[in-house]
Amino acid sequence: MGALDELDTSFAAAMADQAFLDRMNGLRAEYGGRPTALYRADRLTEHAGGATVWLKREDLAHTGSHKLCNVLGQGLLAQRMGKPRLIAETGAGQHGVATATIAALLGMECVVYMGEEDCRRQRLNVVRMRLMGAEVIPVTSGTRTLKDAINEAMRDWVTNVESTHYLIGSAMGPHPFPTMVRDFVKVIGQEIRWQMMERTGGLPDAVVACVGGGSNAIGAFHEFIGDPDVRLIGVEAGGSGIASGAHAATIGGGTEGILHGARTIVLQDDFGQVIPTHSVSAGLDYPGIGPEHAWLADTGRATYLNATDEEALDGFKLVCELEGIIPALEPAHAIIPALRIAREVGEGGNVVINLSGRGDKDVDEVARVLEMTDVKASEDHA
């Protein structure tokens, strides 16, 4: 509790310090590449046959995802607190890459915990982290995925709290982490608001984002919570389908519980034991969800759908083939549901999809899952 109290106090002081905010906002622009573009996706719009579809291009941010917003804020905060060592957990590797990047920028030691299965699925990001000087520790316990990486990171933090900041990667965990992460990523929604006003003269009819722990979604949603005419729609990982039990759709198939220090919605059995999850996407393969998302679902302010692995791969291919953009598998989950919503909204409306990351890291896994056996033969021939 002492470490959390220290973090809470330090975070509040930093956010009230204009010099801290100026440095963070300056690095966001000059180093991170913000604001990211809001792109009108004409061919996806034509395919959907309804509202105009827009892509918020977080994949164009430095390191290739929205994660840099959060790690930049937390990295500067850790430096301000006099903590020279950063640790992080990562699933798809995007948060780990972003943390390694900030550690290199600020001259800090960096250790990243990553499930052994995720190291296999996201080999490219493991290499990227190591190139920037981070130590990547494969976690071999449990399902060898994100939940187990978080467990190990928390054990490290409580052991080394005097020198170490746990740079948590999503809007989850104990207070103040959900608030802190949200406040560092809410710039996504703030940019969507002014970009839509500038391009269309009004707010979007719907904002759609994928949800695992929920950082990119809360970043896109928060700005619009007070605008009831803007539909907020999160898309969870439906895996092989909710009925199969092999999924990571926490709101779709979970119950109220406690996980990693937060009271939220959890995938658990009748005895409160966390159950294994499944998703084709390493970044969504988590049995809990950020507590603010649980509140948004409970109050009905946001709606949470789910997309199966098959639908995510269909969305992945559509964005590649129609727009020439390779999305990460995480936001690919939001594509097919968003196109259905665009048809519901109809012509004249506007639907924004938060394209939270780029898909370079997923190319090998997609080729494996889609059994693209001709790729190797073509390479050999070339």
Side-chain angles (χ1 to χ4, degrees):
M1 289 297 292
L4 293 172
D5 289 342
E6 179 195 18
L7 183 59
D8 193 24
T9 301
S10 301
F11 170 61
M15 295 302 279
D17 182 346
Q18 193 58 48
F20 176 85
L21 297 175
D22 287 346
R23 188 180 182 205
M24 180 176 72
N25 290 331
L27 285 171
R28 276 179 175 177
E30 296 175 9
Y31 186 75
R34 302 207 74 85
T36 58
L38 181 67
Y39 166 69
R40 176 173 160 151
D42 286 339
R43 295 199 69 203
L44 277 175
T45 299
E46 182 181 358
H47 180 84
T52 301
V53 176
W54 301 79
L55 300 178
K56 179 57 174 167
R57 296 291 309 276
E58 291 299 300
D59 59 310
L60 296 179
H62 181 41
T63 74
S65 79
H66 72 290
K67 295 290 188 183
L68 195 75
C69 300
N70 174 40
V71 301
L72 181 55
Q74 288 201 52
L76 291 173
L77 179 61
Q79 189 178 57
R80 179 187 168 102
M81 293 170 66
K83 310 265 185 181
R85 181 172 180 262
L86 297 177
I87 61 170
E89 85 296 333
T90 195
Q94 292 296 78
H95 174 59
V97 168
T99 303
T101 301
I102 293 304
L105 177 71
L106 301 178
M108 304 172 81
E109 181 185 353
C110 182
V111 175
V112 179
Y113 291 91
M114 188 171 187
E116 189 177 53
E117 169 63 10
D118 291 338
C119 288
R120 181 195 66 77
R121 291 193 284 188
Q122 306 293 338
R123 185 188 62 84
L124 174 62
N125 277 340
V126 174
V127 174
R128 294 169 75 193
M129 285 183 267
R130 288 177 172 162
L131 285 173
M132 288 184 283
E135 180 185 4
V136 181
I137 299 180
V139 175
T140 57
S141 59
T143 55
R144 298 172 294 130
T145 56
L146 180 57
K147 172 181 71 68
D148 311 294
I150 294 172
N151 291 342
E152 292 305 316
M154 285 190 164
R155 289 189 184 100
D156 184 320
W157 191 40
V158 298
T159 305
N160 302 290
V161 71
E162 293 299 323
S163 64
T164 299
H165 173 65
Y166 178 16
L167 207 163
I168 204 163
S170 195
M172 41 157 279
H175 179 77
F177 283 110
T179 302
M180 186 168 61
V181 175
R182 179 201 67 197
D183 285 355
F184 286 141
V185 296
K186 67 182 182 183
V187 64
I188 300 171
Q190 291 168 342
E191 289 178 7
I192 292 173
R193 174 182 287 272
W194 69 256
Q195 288 170 325
M196 285 300 297
M197 292 298 296
E198 188 174 80
R199 301 286 295 275
T200 70
L203 297 180
D205 295 276
V207 178
V208 187
C210 66
V211 180
S215 64
N216 93 88
I218 205 65
F221 291 175
H222 185 69
E223 178 69 12
F224 300 102
I225 289 175
D227 298 296
D229 291 338
V230 179
R231 295 168 62 183
L232 305 177
I233 298 163
V235 183
E236 298 186 303
S240 302
I242 301 297
S244 73
H247 62 85
T250 305
I251 291 177
T255 54
E256 187 175 329
I258 295 175
L259 180 63
H260 293 137
R263 190 171 191 87
T264 182
I265 302 174
V266 180
L267 292 174
Q268 57 190 336
D269 63 21
D270 293 340
F271 303 98
Q273 297 298 309
V274 174
I275 58 179
T277 54
H278 162 77
S279 171
V280 71
S281 164
L284 302 184
D285 204 350
Y286 180 63
I289 192 166
E292 190 164 354
H293 283 295
W295 172 75
L296 288 172
D298 187 52
T299 60
R301 178 62 191 92
T303 301
Y304 293 84
L305 311 174
N306 60 79
T308 64
D309 289 348
E310 184 177 357
E311 288 172 315
L313 291 165
D314 287 345
F316 181 95
K317 289 188 288 185
L318 268 181
V319 179
C320 290
E321 293 170 1
L322 296 183
E323 297 293 348
I325 298 169
I326 301 176
L329 277 171
E330 288 80 13
H333 281 73
I335 302 299
I336 298 299
L339 298 187
R340 293 193 193 108
I341 292 160
R343 284 191 282 274
E344 290 173 18
V345 171
E347 291 188 19
N350 293 286
V351 173
V352 177
I353 304 170
N354 193 30
L355 201 68
S356 59
R358 71 184 185 213
D360 311 43
K361 65 184 179 58
D362 294 315
V363 168
D364 287 345
E365 183 68 2
V366 169
R368 185 187 70 83
V369 173
L370 295 181
E371 298 180 342
M372 298 171 68
T373 54
D374 58 322
V375 172
K376 184 64 168 60
S378 298
E379 288 174 348
D380 290 346
H381 182 71

